[in-house]
Amino acid sequence: MSSGDASEQSRRVSVLSWDQVRRLDSILGESVPIHGRGNFPTLSVQPRQIVQVVRARLEEQGVVVRDVKLNGSAASHVLHQDNGLGYKDLDLIFGLSLTDDKTFRLVKDVVLDCLVDFLPEGVCRDRITALALKEAYVQKLVKVCNETDRWSLISLSNNTGKNVELKFVDSLRRQFEFSVDSFQITLDSLLLFDRCSETAMSETFHPTVQGESMYGDFEEALGHLLSRTIATRSPEEIRGGGLLKYCHLLVRGFRPSSEAQMKQMQRYMCSRFFIDFPDISEQQRKLEAYLQNHFAGIEHKRYEYLVTLRQVVDESTVCLMGHERRQTLALISALALRVMAEQNAIPALSNITCYYQPAPYVRDVNFSNYYVAQVQSPMATCSNSYQTWLPCS
């Protein structure tokens, strides 16, 4: 490694303070419920426990785990507690070699087998199959294997959206969306301390824990987190363009460091979003899933989020034909209308269109002073499927 590379690597990494280590230890020791479907009981899992069990089982099967890291919003919360984002998912990254399909299957089987260890006492375990465990406790199962990315994801169900997500990574070209969620904290030293030390941690006696910013400069990214600044690089490399997360940050009070630069990036975000989700039904599923997974406990923010998203799409979409653009905007408006109805609130707007159910007497043939319009549901305008993107010139 050249001196320049070493200097760049050192800027990416920083040692956590005692307060940050203590916050990390608290997150790893917090019991998280894994809710079962049907008659399967709820599992109570501490992140540090499942990491240790999964790692030990993998190594028993001959799979070497290079390191384990905490990623995403939970890592950002460790570094700065009052960051305006909070955290929902617990993203845990296991670094290992995924050489073939056999290893992918082995990783999945090991995780499912580990879930048996967390079943409550009194549950008959002999007849519980791996398939049954997957159907009961796994919310999402992803496998990516191409020239640049080799990884798999197993997301364990939580009804409040606080999923435990186990990601097994051989290679991953893009590991962040924005600088404020680009942090990864290596857990190995803390987990080793748990196993080996009989003395409790203190300010003067605790393991050295390192954090890294995948954005690049750790101090710069931490400064963005402290000041609630939106910054990213090459959003066209992100699946979905980072569009939904960008609007989420705006609603949470984050602001771009450069309005002009971000306006340009918004166009890349929108273009990549419509490349990845070209069909209107795909867009609807993606938006509904995002609202469900990222607004638990802050449901009142969903309307503001959809209004912000509509504004960004309207201003920055350049790769859609006219009817496709209108179709997507109508979808977002319909979702906003539904959210507003669920909240039983009317926003403070100067102009708003309301549709009323006519009174029963309007249907009387002798009562002709009213004209009853046939009102089409706004969702119906989004039912047709078209090719919804064109290459940008």
Side-chain angles (χ1 to χ4, degrees), residues 29-59:
E30 179 184 2
S31 291
V32 180
I34 308 299
H35 297 108
R37 300 182 184 89
N39 295 325
F40 280 82
T42 298
L43 311 182
S44 182
V45 175
Q46 290 184 8
R48 59 167 22 102
Q49 289 177 335
I50 197 164
V51 166
Q52 289 167 341
V53 172
V54 169
R55 183 173 197 163
R57 295 281 176 83
L58 285 172
E59 293 182 344

mmCIF file of all heavy atoms in Angstrom, residues 29-59:
data_model
loop_
_atom_site.group_PDB
_atom_site.id
_atom_site.type_symbol
_atom_site.label_atom_id
_atom_site.label_comp_id
_atom_site.label_asym_id
_atom_site.label_seq_id
_atom_site.Cartn_x
_atom_site.Cartn_y
_atom_site.Cartn_z
ATOM 1 N N GLY A 29 -26.875 -4.970 23.562
ATOM 2 C CA GLY A 29 -27.472 -5.704 24.676
ATOM 3 C C GLY A 29 -28.976 -5.569 24.793
ATOM 4 O O GLY A 29 -29.604 -6.199 25.646
ATOM 5 N N GLU A 30 -29.570 -4.763 23.917
ATOM 6 C CA GLU A 30 -31.022 -4.543 23.965
ATOM 7 C C GLU A 30 -31.762 -5.723 23.351
ATOM 8 O O GLU A 30 -31.426 -6.193 22.265
ATOM 9 C CB GLU A 30 -31.352 -3.263 23.189
ATOM 10 C CG GLU A 30 -32.827 -2.931 23.141
ATOM 11 C CD GLU A 30 -33.107 -1.716 22.276
ATOM 12 O OE1 GLU A 30 -32.146 -1.164 21.695
ATOM 13 O OE2 GLU A 30 -34.280 -1.334 22.167
ATOM 14 N N SER A 31 -32.765 -6.219 24.040
ATOM 15 C CA SER A 31 -33.560 -7.339 23.525
ATOM 16 C C SER A 31 -34.512 -6.838 22.443
ATOM 17 O O SER A 31 -35.269 -5.887 22.653
ATOM 18 C CB SER A 31 -34.359 -7.998 24.649
ATOM 19 O OG SER A 31 -33.494 -8.675 25.537
ATOM 20 N N VAL A 32 -34.442 -7.489 21.297
ATOM 21 C CA VAL A 32 -35.294 -7.122 20.162
ATOM 22 C C VAL A 32 -36.247 -8.278 19.882
ATOM 23 O O VAL A 32 -35.801 -9.419 19.708
ATOM 24 C CB VAL A 32 -34.445 -6.828 18.906
ATOM 25 C CG1 VAL A 32 -35.339 -6.458 17.736
ATOM 26 C CG2 VAL A 32 -33.437 -5.731 19.192
ATOM 27 N N PRO A 33 -37.562 -8.042 19.850
ATOM 28 C CA PRO A 33 -38.493 -9.132 19.550
ATOM 29 C C PRO A 33 -38.493 -9.492 18.068
ATOM 30 O O PRO A 33 -38.529 -8.612 17.205
ATOM 31 C CB PRO A 33 -39.853 -8.573 19.980
ATOM 32 C CG PRO A 33 -39.702 -7.088 19.897
ATOM 33 C CD PRO A 33 -38.262 -6.782 20.179
ATOM 34 N N ILE A 34 -38.422 -10.788 17.783
ATOM 35 C CA ILE A 34 -38.593 -11.302 16.422
ATOM 36 C C ILE A 34 -39.959 -11.969 16.392
ATOM 37 O O ILE A 34 -40.162 -13.035 16.991
ATOM 38 C CB ILE A 34 -37.488 -12.321 16.048
ATOM 39 C CG1 ILE A 34 -36.095 -11.734 16.320
ATOM 40 C CG2 ILE A 34 -37.640 -12.749 14.601
ATOM 41 C CD1 ILE A 34 -35.768 -10.502 15.535
ATOM 42 N N HIS A 35 -40.902 -11.317 15.736
ATOM 43 C CA HIS A 35 -42.289 -11.770 15.791
ATOM 44 C C HIS A 35 -42.533 -12.906 14.796
ATOM 45 O O HIS A 35 -42.167 -12.814 13.623
ATOM 46 C CB HIS A 35 -43.240 -10.611 15.497
ATOM 47 C CG HIS A 35 -43.160 -9.510 16.509
ATOM 48 N ND1 HIS A 35 -42.592 -8.270 16.246
ATOM 49 C CD2 HIS A 35 -43.546 -9.468 17.803
ATOM 50 C CE1 HIS A 35 -42.662 -7.525 17.324
ATOM 51 N NE2 HIS A 35 -43.239 -8.213 18.282
ATOM 52 N N GLY A 36 -43.152 -13.956 15.297
ATOM 53 C CA GLY A 36 -43.468 -15.101 14.456
ATOM 54 C C GLY A 36 -44.850 -14.993 13.838
ATOM 55 O O GLY A 36 -45.763 -14.408 14.425
ATOM 56 N N ARG A 37 -45.003 -15.557 12.663
ATOM 57 C CA ARG A 37 -46.309 -15.587 12.003
ATOM 58 C C ARG A 37 -47.084 -16.811 12.479
ATOM 59 O O ARG A 37 -46.501 -17.816 12.874
ATOM 60 C CB ARG A 37 -46.135 -15.615 10.484
ATOM 61 C CG ARG A 37 -45.399 -14.414 9.914
ATOM 62 C CD ARG A 37 -45.316 -14.479 8.395
ATOM 63 N NE ARG A 37 -44.539 -13.372 7.841
ATOM 64 C CZ ARG A 37 -43.233 -13.398 7.642
ATOM 65 N NH1 ARG A 37 -42.559 -14.508 7.933
ATOM 66 N NH2 ARG A 37 -42.598 -12.357 7.156
ATOM 67 N N GLY A 38 -48.390 -16.708 12.378
ATOM 68 C CA GLY A 38 -49.224 -17.844 12.765
ATOM 69 C C GLY A 38 -49.082 -18.164 14.240
ATOM 70 O O GLY A 38 -49.136 -17.279 15.099
ATOM 71 N N ASN A 39 -48.872 -19.439 14.546
ATOM 72 C CA ASN A 39 -48.780 -19.881 15.935
ATOM 73 C C ASN A 39 -47.354 -19.868 16.480
ATOM 74 O O ASN A 39 -47.121 -20.309 17.608
ATOM 75 C CB ASN A 39 -49.352 -21.298 16.070
ATOM 76 C CG ASN A 39 -50.849 -21.339 15.777
ATOM 77 O OD1 ASN A 39 -51.572 -20.397 16.106
ATOM 78 N ND2 ASN A 39 -51.307 -22.419 15.158
ATOM 79 N N PHE A 40 -46.410 -19.392 15.688
ATOM 80 C CA PHE A 40 -45.032 -19.382 16.163
ATOM 81 C C PHE A 40 -44.828 -18.272 17.196
ATOM 82 O O PHE A 40 -45.291 -17.140 16.995
ATOM 83 C CB PHE A 40 -44.064 -19.193 14.993
ATOM 84 C CG PHE A 40 -43.806 -20.456 14.224
ATOM 85 C CD1 PHE A 40 -44.694 -20.886 13.255
ATOM 86 C CD2 PHE A 40 -42.685 -21.232 14.498
ATOM 87 C CE1 PHE A 40 -44.464 -22.053 12.546
ATOM 88 C CE2 PHE A 40 -42.450 -22.402 13.801
ATOM 89 C CZ PHE A 40 -43.339 -22.821 12.823
ATOM 90 N N PRO A 41 -44.133 -18.590 18.280
ATOM 91 C CA PRO A 41 -43.964 -17.599 19.354
ATOM 92 C C PRO A 41 -42.980 -16.494 18.975
ATOM 93 O O PRO A 41 -42.177 -16.637 18.050
ATOM 94 C CB PRO A 41 -43.411 -18.442 20.504
ATOM 95 C CG PRO A 41 -42.667 -19.561 19.829
ATOM 96 C CD PRO A 41 -43.463 -19.873 18.587
ATOM 97 N N THR A 42 -43.036 -15.401 19.716
ATOM 98 C CA THR A 42 -42.086 -14.310 19.542
ATOM 99 C C THR A 42 -40.753 -14.685 20.179
ATOM 100 O O THR A 42 -40.709 -15.184 21.300
ATOM 101 C CB THR A 42 -42.627 -13.024 20.186
ATOM 102 O OG1 THR A 42 -43.840 -12.641 19.523
ATOM 103 C CG2 THR A 42 -41.623 -11.892 20.088
ATOM 104 N N LEU A 43 -39.676 -14.435 19.440
ATOM 105 C CA LEU A 43 -38.335 -14.687 19.966
ATOM 106 C C LEU A 43 -37.784 -13.394 20.551
ATOM 107 O O LEU A 43 -38.010 -12.312 20.023
ATOM 108 C CB LEU A 43 -37.398 -15.173 18.849
ATOM 109 C CG LEU A 43 -37.897 -16.302 17.941
ATOM 110 C CD1 LEU A 43 -36.810 -16.671 16.935
ATOM 111 C CD2 LEU A 43 -38.296 -17.517 18.767
ATOM 112 N N SER A 44 -37.053 -13.511 21.647
ATOM 113 C CA SER A 44 -36.377 -12.363 22.236
ATOM 114 C C SER A 44 -34.881 -12.521 21.988
ATOM 115 O O SER A 44 -34.258 -13.454 22.485
ATOM 116 C CB SER A 44 -36.666 -12.285 23.745
ATOM 117 O OG SER A 44 -36.044 -11.150 24.309
ATOM 118 N N VAL A 45 -34.321 -11.600 21.203
ATOM 119 C CA VAL A 45 -32.952 -11.758 20.729
ATOM 120 C C VAL A 45 -32.147 -10.505 21.039
ATOM 121 O O VAL A 45 -32.595 -9.388 20.746
ATOM 122 C CB VAL A 45 -32.929 -12.010 19.204
ATOM 123 C CG1 VAL A 45 -31.503 -12.044 18.684
ATOM 124 C CG2 VAL A 45 -33.648 -13.301 18.864
ATOM 125 N N GLN A 46 -30.981 -10.676 21.626
ATOM 126 C CA GLN A 46 -30.026 -9.587 21.749
ATOM 127 C C GLN A 46 -29.094 -9.629 20.539
ATOM 128 O O GLN A 46 -28.604 -10.698 20.184
ATOM 129 C CB GLN A 46 -29.193 -9.723 23.022
ATOM 130 C CG GLN A 46 -29.953 -9.469 24.310
ATOM 131 C CD GLN A 46 -29.037 -9.537 25.524
ATOM 132 O OE1 GLN A 46 -27.817 -9.632 25.404
ATOM 133 N NE2 GLN A 46 -29.637 -9.489 26.698
ATOM 134 N N PRO A 47 -28.840 -8.502 19.900
ATOM 135 C CA PRO A 47 -27.959 -8.506 18.731
ATOM 136 C C PRO A 47 -26.617 -9.180 18.979
ATOM 137 O O PRO A 47 -26.124 -9.930 18.135
ATOM 138 C CB PRO A 47 -27.787 -7.010 18.429
ATOM 139 C CG PRO A 47 -29.048 -6.389 18.926
ATOM 140 C CD PRO A 47 -29.428 -7.166 20.151
ATOM 141 N N ARG A 48 -26.005 -8.944 20.160
ATOM 142 C CA ARG A 48 -24.701 -9.548 20.420
ATOM 143 C C ARG A 48 -24.812 -11.071 20.491
ATOM 144 O O ARG A 48 -23.907 -11.777 20.063
ATOM 145 C CB ARG A 48 -24.078 -8.996 21.699
ATOM 146 C CG ARG A 48 -24.904 -9.218 22.942
ATOM 147 C CD ARG A 48 -24.153 -8.957 24.257
ATOM 148 N NE ARG A 48 -23.012 -8.107 24.202
ATOM 149 C CZ ARG A 48 -22.991 -6.821 24.579
ATOM 150 N NH1 ARG A 48 -24.115 -6.259 25.008
ATOM 151 N NH2 ARG A 48 -21.890 -6.126 24.528
ATOM 152 N N GLN A 49 -25.958 -11.569 20.969
ATOM 153 C CA GLN A 49 -26.135 -13.018 21.063
ATOM 154 C C GLN A 49 -26.228 -13.647 19.685
ATOM 155 O O GLN A 49 -25.559 -14.646 19.398
ATOM 156 C CB GLN A 49 -27.393 -13.340 21.873
ATOM 157 C CG GLN A 49 -27.289 -13.042 23.351
ATOM 158 C CD GLN A 49 -28.589 -13.314 24.077
ATOM 159 O OE1 GLN A 49 -29.673 -13.285 23.474
ATOM 160 N NE2 GLN A 49 -28.517 -13.576 25.372
ATOM 161 N N ILE A 50 -27.052 -13.077 18.833
ATOM 162 C CA ILE A 50 -27.233 -13.707 17.522
ATOM 163 C C ILE A 50 -25.964 -13.596 16.684
ATOM 164 O O ILE A 50 -25.636 -14.508 15.922
ATOM 165 C CB ILE A 50 -28.457 -13.119 16.784
ATOM 166 C CG1 ILE A 50 -28.868 -14.050 15.637
ATOM 167 C CG2 ILE A 50 -28.204 -11.708 16.269
ATOM 168 C CD1 ILE A 50 -30.244 -13.801 15.097
ATOM 169 N N VAL A 51 -25.210 -12.503 16.850
ATOM 170 C CA VAL A 51 -23.927 -12.384 16.138
ATOM 171 C C VAL A 51 -22.975 -13.485 16.581
ATOM 172 O O VAL A 51 -22.339 -14.153 15.749
ATOM 173 C CB VAL A 51 -23.301 -10.996 16.378
ATOM 174 C CG1 VAL A 51 -21.838 -10.985 15.938
ATOM 175 C CG2 VAL A 51 -24.073 -9.926 15.622
ATOM 176 N N GLN A 52 -22.869 -13.691 17.875
ATOM 177 C CA GLN A 52 -21.935 -14.694 18.393
ATOM 178 C C GLN A 52 -22.348 -16.102 17.980
ATOM 179 O O GLN A 52 -21.507 -16.926 17.597
ATOM 180 C CB GLN A 52 -21.846 -14.571 19.917
ATOM 181 C CG GLN A 52 -21.114 -13.312 20.363
ATOM 182 C CD GLN A 52 -21.290 -13.016 21.847
ATOM 183 O OE1 GLN A 52 -22.210 -13.527 22.484
ATOM 184 N NE2 GLN A 52 -20.416 -12.186 22.404
ATOM 185 N N VAL A 53 -23.654 -16.389 18.021
ATOM 186 C CA VAL A 53 -24.127 -17.725 17.672
ATOM 187 C C VAL A 53 -23.940 -17.993 16.181
ATOM 188 O O VAL A 53 -23.437 -19.052 15.776
ATOM 189 C CB VAL A 53 -25.618 -17.896 18.080
ATOM 190 C CG1 VAL A 53 -26.171 -19.207 17.532
ATOM 191 C CG2 VAL A 53 -25.756 -17.855 19.586
ATOM 192 N N VAL A 54 -24.335 -17.038 15.338
ATOM 193 C CA VAL A 54 -24.203 -17.220 13.892
ATOM 194 C C VAL A 54 -22.735 -17.359 13.505
ATOM 195 O O VAL A 54 -22.366 -18.229 12.713
ATOM 196 C CB VAL A 54 -24.866 -16.055 13.127
ATOM 197 C CG1 VAL A 54 -24.512 -16.098 11.642
ATOM 198 C CG2 VAL A 54 -26.380 -16.097 13.305
ATOM 199 N N ARG A 55 -21.897 -16.532 14.081
ATOM 200 C CA ARG A 55 -20.465 -16.585 13.741
ATOM 201 C C ARG A 55 -19.861 -17.926 14.145
ATOM 202 O O ARG A 55 -19.114 -18.548 13.365
ATOM 203 C CB ARG A 55 -19.722 -15.445 14.436
ATOM 204 C CG ARG A 55 -18.250 -15.388 14.076
ATOM 205 C CD ARG A 55 -17.586 -14.157 14.654
ATOM 206 N NE ARG A 55 -16.325 -13.878 14.005
ATOM 207 C CZ ARG A 55 -15.696 -12.722 14.066
ATOM 208 N NH1 ARG A 55 -16.227 -11.711 14.755
ATOM 209 N NH2 ARG A 55 -14.545 -12.547 13.451
ATOM 210 N N ALA A 56 -20.191 -18.399 15.341
ATOM 211 C CA ALA A 56 -19.646 -19.676 15.808
ATOM 212 C C ALA A 56 -20.107 -20.829 14.928
ATOM 213 O O ALA A 56 -19.310 -21.706 14.561
ATOM 214 C CB ALA A 56 -20.064 -19.909 17.257
ATOM 215 N N ARG A 57 -21.389 -20.812 14.523
ATOM 216 C CA ARG A 57 -21.915 -21.902 13.686
ATOM 217 C C ARG A 57 -21.279 -21.885 12.294
ATOM 218 O O ARG A 57 -20.998 -22.932 11.718
ATOM 219 C CB ARG A 57 -23.431 -21.775 13.562
ATOM 220 C CG ARG A 57 -24.179 -21.962 14.867
ATOM 221 C CD ARG A 57 -24.331 -23.437 15.249
ATOM 222 N NE ARG A 57 -24.966 -23.568 16.532
ATOM 223 C CZ ARG A 57 -26.292 -23.527 16.736
ATOM 224 N NH1 ARG A 57 -27.099 -23.394 15.703
ATOM 225 N NH2 ARG A 57 -26.781 -23.650 17.946
ATOM 226 N N LEU A 58 -21.083 -20.691 11.749
ATOM 227 C CA LEU A 58 -20.443 -20.598 10.428
ATOM 228 C C LEU A 58 -19.022 -21.144 10.481
ATOM 229 O O LEU A 58 -18.603 -21.894 9.581
ATOM 230 C CB LEU A 58 -20.428 -19.142 9.947
ATOM 231 C CG LEU A 58 -21.754 -18.568 9.450
ATOM 232 C CD1 LEU A 58 -21.628 -17.066 9.206
ATOM 233 C CD2 LEU A 58 -22.215 -19.261 8.172
ATOM 234 N N GLU A 59 -18.290 -20.789 11.521
ATOM 235 C CA GLU A 59 -16.910 -21.245 11.620
ATOM 236 C C GLU A 59 -16.836 -22.747 11.886
ATOM 237 O O GLU A 59 -15.892 -23.412 11.455
ATOM 238 C CB GLU A 59 -16.174 -20.431 12.684
ATOM 239 C CG GLU A 59 -16.022 -18.969 12.240
ATOM 240 C CD GLU A 59 -15.266 -18.102 13.230
ATOM 241 O OE1 GLU A 59 -15.106 -18.529 14.403
ATOM 242 O OE2 GLU A 59 -14.831 -16.998 12.839
#
